[in-house]
Amino acid sequence: ESFSDKARLSGDDLVGRVLGSLAQDGRWHRTWSRELVRILMADDASNRAVLERWMRAWADPVDEALGPLARVLGVEGPKAGRALDSSS
């Protein structure tokens, strides 16, 4: 059950529609980002190291930023941000 569904079931159709739109937008961004990474990796093998450095640099700040939301939603532990990604 998505956040959008939960809002609608709670009687808040407007918030449900907004969250549904944001989830759709997030899926679109994940799709093109994955394709960009695939292209970069196919283009030049040295791009892997650059992407891995970028992911290492941002993983902890993202987890820290999403930590409070993760706790409210009952998603605990390291890398909670990645678990939140699948809950929308």
Side-chain angles (χ1 to χ4, degrees), residues 2 9 12 20 24-26 28 31 35-36 48 53-56 58 62 65 69-72 74 77 84-86:
S2 69
L9 291 171
D12 199 336
Q24 181 181 16
D25 187 54
W28 179 81
T31 298
E35 184 62 14
L36 175 62
R48 175 181 288 281
R53 275 195 313 272
W54 185 86
M55 289 187 300
R56 278 193 305 275
W58 282 100
V62 167
L69 178 60
R71 284 187 291 282
V72 167
L84 285 174
D85 184 47
S86 66

Side-chain angles (χ1 to χ4, degrees), residues 2-43:
S2 69
F3 295 133
S4 174
D5 293 336
K6 288 179 183 182
R8 287 187 177 115
L9 291 171
S10 296
D12 199 336
D13 188 60
L14 178 60
V15 170
R17 286 187 284 149
V18 169
L19 291 174
S21 177
L22 290 170
Q24 181 181 16
D25 187 54
R27 286 188 298 272
W28 179 81
H29 283 284
R30 280 189 299 276
T31 298
W32 76 256
S33 296
R34 285 181 182 132
E35 184 62 14
L36 175 62
V37 168
R38 187 192 68 73
I39 290 168
L40 290 171
M41 300 291 277
D43 183 55

